[in-house]
Amino acid sequence: MISIRNLHKAFGTNEVLKGISLEVTQGEVLCIIGPSGSGKSTILRCINGLESYDKGETRVDGHLVNRETKDIIWIRTHISMVFQRFNLFPHRTVLENVIEGPVYVKKEDRAQAIRRGKELLERVGLANKADVYPHKLSGGQMQRVAIARALAMQPMAILFDEPTSALDPELVGEVLNVMRKLAEQGMTMLVVTHEMGFAREVADRVVFLDEGVIVED
Amino acid sequence: MVTISSLVLSTFLGLFWALLRTSHIKVLSRISATFVNTIRGIPILVQLFYIYFVLPEIGIQLTAFQAGTIGLGIAYSAYMSEVFRAGIEAIDVGQIEAAQSIGMTRRLIMTRVVLPQAFRIALPPYGNNLIMLLKDSSQTSAITVAELSLESKLIAASSFKNMTVFTLGAIGYLVMSLPLIFLVARLEKRFERA
């Protein structure tokens, strides 16, 4: 489903990715681990075109990822992303955050989007926070809202970019639990993480990245 | 009157300059920067004179009110533009990336994510500009717009009651600007709660 071939990326003279090849199949949970600065997040950002790449190619369901073409919108509406720093929209309530994509990007019926948005909030255990603004939530709650926002797009896969790295230790568990449930339900997930326990327990496959190359699969 | 019409003009024009300035098209951004810096570097009074007295020489005849509106509107669009630009640039890149990641187009990102947040940030300095604009409307008296300052001067000259008339004039400005100050403060509070 996601296919990366010989991916190269440099920031200035700093070569971050030096020929990455990776296949993610439907329903697979793939964890990418490795030291800071090894290019883990950059791989994710290349998959949905938040970052351009220099050489090689990445495809989603056959569609070539290219920031300059209209196809990028198709890719982004089919691949969701969860960020390290949550990046919720602070001027919108929790529910509004969740339905923003369905209503304004996918042009779904608002009433239906709200219904589904509430279901999703229920699924991440935040049904009672629908009308609250994000700044009233804890980090763990914010990240769960971000996961609900990602799910609301009904994506083929979700990219998780260090989803628990910005959280206080006692809040990590609630986010990992939600992710574990998603994995059990068959969601395709690409997870950049430092949580070795989670990787070992939940992932179908773990790749280890160091200095821009995959050293262990 | 001249305050309201030039406020509307300067707000829309200011937003336009700010959008040009923050666009990623270099030419547009440079045009906007040049314009804004030029306007900010010339006193409003000189700009008003230019529009009212120089433009007729090339065949553009404007009434005092029109010239006042356009002059103040353009002058303040430069200040408004800087206020909006600061608001837009203060938005965290993470916000834009989150919007991109759910497939938003550039336009949607602007209207749904960046501008609503930028307006909140821009509100206090915008309110400040609004009050300065109200007071700078007195400068249009120099090109004979019949506003408060000019009227007071005329009445004072004919009645010799300088103290009474100018005191009333000053109070007149306060009566208009104080409610504005309170209105802006209230809006800020409301946004804070959200």
Side-chain angles (χ1 to χ4, degrees):
Chain A
M1 177 194 298
I2 297 172
S3 137
I4 301 171
R5 238 169 288 154
N6 193 30
L7 188 68
H8 285 259
K9 168 75 186 174
F11 293 107
T13 55
N14 179 19
E15 218 181 347
V16 190
L17 301 177
K18 304 170 185 166
I20 302 286
S21 294
L22 208 57
E23 291 284 334
V24 186
T25 55
Q26 172 98 46
E28 187 176 21
V29 177
L30 175 74
C31 282
I32 305 175
I33 57 176
S36 308
S38 57
K40 307 179 300 282
S41 297
T42 309
I43 296 180
L44 294 194
R45 296 165 59 82
C46 285
I47 293 173
N48 70 354
L50 287 184
E51 209 74 74
S52 62
Y53 48 89
D54 306 325
K55 221 166 80 183
E57 61 170 42
T58 135
R59 285 178 184 277
V60 174
D61 225 25
H63 296 254
L64 181 70
V65 178
N66 180 345
R67 283 155 56 89
E68 309 304 323
T69 66
K70 284 249 152 126
D71 239 16
I72 196 67
I73 300 291
W74 184 92
I75 285 159
R76 287 173 180 162
T77 48
H78 287 79
I79 301 279
S80 291
M81 184 153 182
V82 172
F83 297 87
Q84 179 176 356
R85 308 236 23 119
F86 332 127
N87 297 350
L88 294 180
F89 305 128
H91 56 304
R92 310 222 181 271
T93 65
V94 163
L95 183 61
E96 285 168 346
N97 264 277
V98 175
I99 66 169
E100 184 75 16
V103 171
Y104 292 93
V105 177
K106 295 175 86 181
K107 312 273 186 231
E108 278 175 30
D109 173 55
R110 193 181 180 89
Q112 191 199 326
I114 289 175
R115 207 173 324 119
R116 221 159 37 79
K118 285 184 173 161
E119 277 169 30
L120 288 172
L121 287 176
E122 182 104 50
R123 248 170 95 184
V124 297
L126 292 169
N128 56 337
K129 300 285 186 194
D131 299 319
V132 166
Y133 282 92
H135 67 93
K136 300 257 184 202
L137 302 179
S138 71
Q141 290 172 327
M142 283 197 241
Q143 195 59 298
R144 285 186 282 152
V145 174
I147 293 174
R149 178 172 70 178
L151 286 170
M153 295 300 285
Q154 299 182 295
M156 306 186 326
I158 303 182
L159 313 173
F160 290 86
D161 186 6
E162 304 201 25
T164 57
S165 300
L167 298 177
D168 293 337
E170 73 270 20
L171 300 175
V172 169
E174 61 188 69
V175 172
L176 291 183
N177 277 336
V178 169
M179 291 171 61
R180 192 173 293 127
K181 260 197 282 172
L182 278 181
E184 282 163 11
Q185 288 157 0
M187 176 57 78
T188 311
M189 296 161 61
L190 213 79
V191 187
V192 166
T193 186
H194 292 291
E195 295 288 329
M196 298 298 279
F198 175 83
R200 199 176 316 122
E201 181 198 343
V202 179
D204 300 309
R205 198 148 62 94
V206 178
V207 298
F208 189 85
L209 200 70
D210 196 15
E211 306 210 328
V213 288
I214 291 173
V215 291
E216 220 180 290
D217 203 329
Chain B
M1 268 320 287
V2 78
T3 304
I4 294 169
S5 53
S6 47
L7 174 67
V8 173
L9 179 65
S10 66
T11 300
F12 283 105
L13 209 53
L15 188 56
F16 173 73
W17 296 127
L19 288 176
L20 285 195
R21 183 74 181 268
T22 52
S23 78
H24 294 288
I25 305 161
K26 274 218 177 86
V27 192
L28 294 182
S29 148
R30 207 160 297 155
I31 290 173
S32 163
T34 310
F35 176 87
V36 167
N37 288 335
T38 309
I39 294 295
R40 284 201 302 168
I42 302 174
I44 289 175
L45 197 56
V46 177
Q47 293 180 40
L48 287 171
F49 283 156
Y50 208 88
I51 289 171
Y52 192 57
F53 297 118
V54 179
L55 287 190
E57 288 184 15
I58 56 165
I60 302 171
Q61 205 62 257
L62 295 167
T63 66
F65 180 77
Q66 287 167 339
T69 298
I70 294 172
L72 273 185
I74 289 180
Y76 266 85
S77 78
Y79 301 112
M80 294 300 193
S81 146
E82 290 296 278
V83 163
F84 291 138
R85 178 170 74 100
I88 291 172
E89 285 177 352
I91 307 300
D92 180 31
V93 264
Q95 288 291 310
I96 294 158
E97 291 184 347
Q100 286 176 327
S101 79
I102 56 172
M104 284 192 172
T105 55
R106 219 169 257 227
R107 219 183 118 134
L108 267 182
I109 295 173
M110 256 302 155
T111 54
R112 297 288 308 167
V113 178
V114 174
L115 288 182
Q117 296 186 61
F119 284 142
R120 282 170 204 215
I121 297 168
L123 186 65
Y126 178 85
N128 197 39
N129 274 358
L130 170 58
I131 289 147
M132 296 208 318
L133 171 61
L134 172 71
K135 293 181 298 174
D136 273 344
S137 70
S138 68
Q139 299 204 39
T140 61
S141 66
I143 57 166
T144 71
V145 175
E147 48 65 70
L148 189 53
S149 300
L150 185 64
E151 294 293 314
S152 334
K153 207 169 106 190
L154 292 178
I155 298 169
S158 62
S159 66
F160 301 107
K161 289 181 179 148
N162 280 344
M163 173 120 106
T164 324
V165 175
F166 284 122
T167 306
L168 280 175
I171 291 172
Y173 279 108
L174 266 180
V175 164
M176 289 188 284
S177 55
L178 283 179
L180 279 179
I181 293 171
F182 291 132
L183 179 76
V184 170
R186 262 188 69 166
L187 275 177
E188 277 171 44
K189 262 222 181 93
R190 234 183 74 190
F191 280 158
E192 236 168 64
R193 241 182 293 140

